[in-house]
Amino acid sequence: MRRELSDKESGAPGRIKMSDIARLAGVSTSTVSRALSGHASIPQALRDQIVALAQVQGYVINQSARSLRLQRTHVISIIVPLGHEAGQLISDPFFLEMIGRLADEITGRGYEVLLTKVAAPQPGWLDRIVQSHRSDGLLVIGQSNQHAALNAAAKTYRPLVVWGGALEDQHYCTVGADNVAGAQLAVEHLIGLGRRRIAFLGAPEAPEVGLRREGYLRALAKAGLEPAPELSAPAHFTVDTAQATVRALIESGAPFDAVFAASDLIAVTAIQALIAAGRSIPRDVSVVGFDDIALARHSAPALTTVRQDLAAGAKNMVELLFRRIAGEDTASIFMAPELVVRES
């Protein structure tokens, strides 16, 4: 059960008290306490009003006393495990956008952010993070190849929410897009344009990419098209490896008239490699990505892609995490994807 802050936790004697803020705001002291703690039971508008009033009045929470009393750190961890993709950087455009949106949601509740990249997860890595007690809850971006570790941690550790795909035998709370449906939208769009030799770019070892490949295959089957093994290229989430994969596909001589890429970064890299090889986009080859990060809108030509709503995803992740911190059991959320048609 979440404890409320007390006047004793407001700082040195003589400073403005929580009860003073409550009187000025015309609400109860308990309402002020919950608002300053970022509690979801207080409407956002009222929460913002109380926080602004506290700032104007110079009210300061004694964080050390608060943490000691509540056994809370007032910190949320954002963790990026990269077991399948050790070379991927935090500066990857998807990570930058997702981490930024999560940080905005977390700091908006008065909490701090601890960012951890786990480049080569070793057995017990997640248990060690939990046992360090450095934060009040964990937000994990991507399942990587750590599905079993996440499942094991979820059996005993409640405040854990993961961004990822819907997998079998999944026991941890997850937020993400319907990857299979999104991929089907992308490939059905390409088929509707008259494309028949559609390449898939992505390494299916990552669960979300595997689900996107499943959607790709379903769309081909629905249209009566046989998948061509030579058109599945294991492009990774780094520019160098994606460029090498696309160049190898071009140099193989295998004919293709469209590309469905497992991410926008891979798609934009494919466009650059294709143009460098003398292919016109989209006259010779149509390209569709997945994510709809800012890069997609500013590529040349502007990238057609599958949008997974990262703003809503971050908001859902943080909301579910705080509900789990408060002791609730929460179900996973998988959002409907949207095809965004641009120029590619």
Side-chain angles (χ1 to χ4, degrees):
M1 182 71 68
R2 177 191 290 271
R3 281 197 46 183
E4 295 171 5
L5 304 179
S6 68
D7 281 338
K8 291 181 180 179
E9 295 167 324
S10 64
R15 291 183 179 178
I16 189 167
K17 297 181 175 65
M18 190 179 292
S19 55
D20 298 324
I21 300 297
R23 176 176 52 79
L24 291 170
V27 298
S28 67
T29 302
S30 63
T31 296
V32 173
S33 172
R34 290 194 292 273
L36 295 179
S37 298
H39 201 288
S41 65
I42 306 301
Q44 186 67 51
L46 179 57
R47 199 187 313 163
D48 292 343
Q49 177 187 343
I50 291 171
V51 169
L53 182 58
Q55 290 173 341
V56 168
Q57 296 299 321
Y59 178 81
V60 179
I61 297 171
N62 186 328
Q63 293 288 4
S64 297
R66 178 183 186 186
S67 297
L68 182 62
R69 289 171 182 271
L70 303 184
Q71 296 184 328
R72 292 277 190 257
T73 64
H74 227 58
V75 173
I76 299 298
S77 287
I78 298 176
I79 301 170
V80 183
L82 294 173
H84 70 291
E85 200 76 80
Q88 195 172 8
L89 303 175
I90 290 291
S91 57
D92 178 288
F94 174 82
F95 285 148
L96 285 179
E97 186 164 341
M98 193 66 191
I99 290 168
R101 292 188 180 280
L102 288 171
D104 285 344
E105 293 291 333
I106 293 165
T107 55
R109 292 173 179 255
Y111 275 63
E112 297 179 359
V113 174
L114 175 63
L115 176 62
T116 302
K117 174 184 173 181
V118 186
Q122 300 299 312
W125 68 272
L126 188 51
D127 292 336
R128 288 190 288 275
I129 290 176
V130 170
Q131 291 163 9
S132 72
H133 301 293
R134 298 176 67 192
S135 62
D136 299 333
L138 310 181
L139 296 171
V140 180
I141 303 179
Q143 293 140 313
S144 185
N145 56 2
Q146 298 299 305
H147 177 60
L150 293 166
N151 260 348
K155 291 179 181 177
T156 56
Y157 185 71
R158 182 181 297 272
L160 169 68
V161 179
V162 179
W163 173 268
L167 305 179
E168 293 182 6
D169 188 36
Q170 186 167 320
H171 303 303
Y172 47 89
C173 182
T174 309
V175 175
D178 184 333
N179 291 280
V180 175
Q184 284 189 258
L185 283 175
V187 178
E188 286 172 359
H189 171 71
L190 291 169
I191 293 169
L193 295 175
R195 307 301 183 173
R196 292 296 180 269
R197 295 277 296 176
I198 303 170
F200 176 82
L201 302 183
E205 296 83 12
E208 288 173 279
V209 178
L211 293 169
R212 291 167 197 175
R213 176 169 167 74
E214 181 182 336
Y216 160 83
L217 294 174
R218 287 188 186 184
L220 292 181
K222 184 177 177 181
L225 299 175
E226 287 291 331
E230 67 274 18
L231 296 184
S232 285
H236 292 265
F237 294 118
T238 61
V239 171
D240 290 344
T241 56
Q243 281 180 339
T245 300
V246 177
R247 283 198 299 266
L249 177 62
I250 294 170
E251 291 168 2
S252 73
F256 61 96
D257 54 13
V259 165
F260 170 52
S263 79
D264 287 347
L265 180 65
I266 296 173
V268 171
T269 301
I271 288 174
Q272 294 170 345
L274 287 163
I275 291 174
R279 308 284 181 94
S280 174
I281 310 299
R283 187 187 64 201
D284 298 329
V285 182
S286 293
V287 179
V288 179
F290 201 109
D291 286 332
D292 195 31
I293 56 176
L295 178 67
R297 298 186 287 278
H298 301 296
S299 69
L303 181 66
T304 294
T305 187
V306 177
R307 173 181 294 157
Q308 45 181 356
D309 191 335
L310 299 188
K315 187 177 185 66
N316 285 332
M317 286 182 73
V318 174
E319 175 65 23
L320 292 178
L321 183 67
F322 275 86
R323 285 167 57 187
R324 296 181 77 83
I325 289 172
E328 288 188 45
D329 219 2
T330 59
S332 295
I333 297 175
F334 294 102
M335 302 174 293
E338 175 190 356
L339 181 68
V340 181
V341 178
R342 295 193 178 100
E343 299 170 353
S344 66

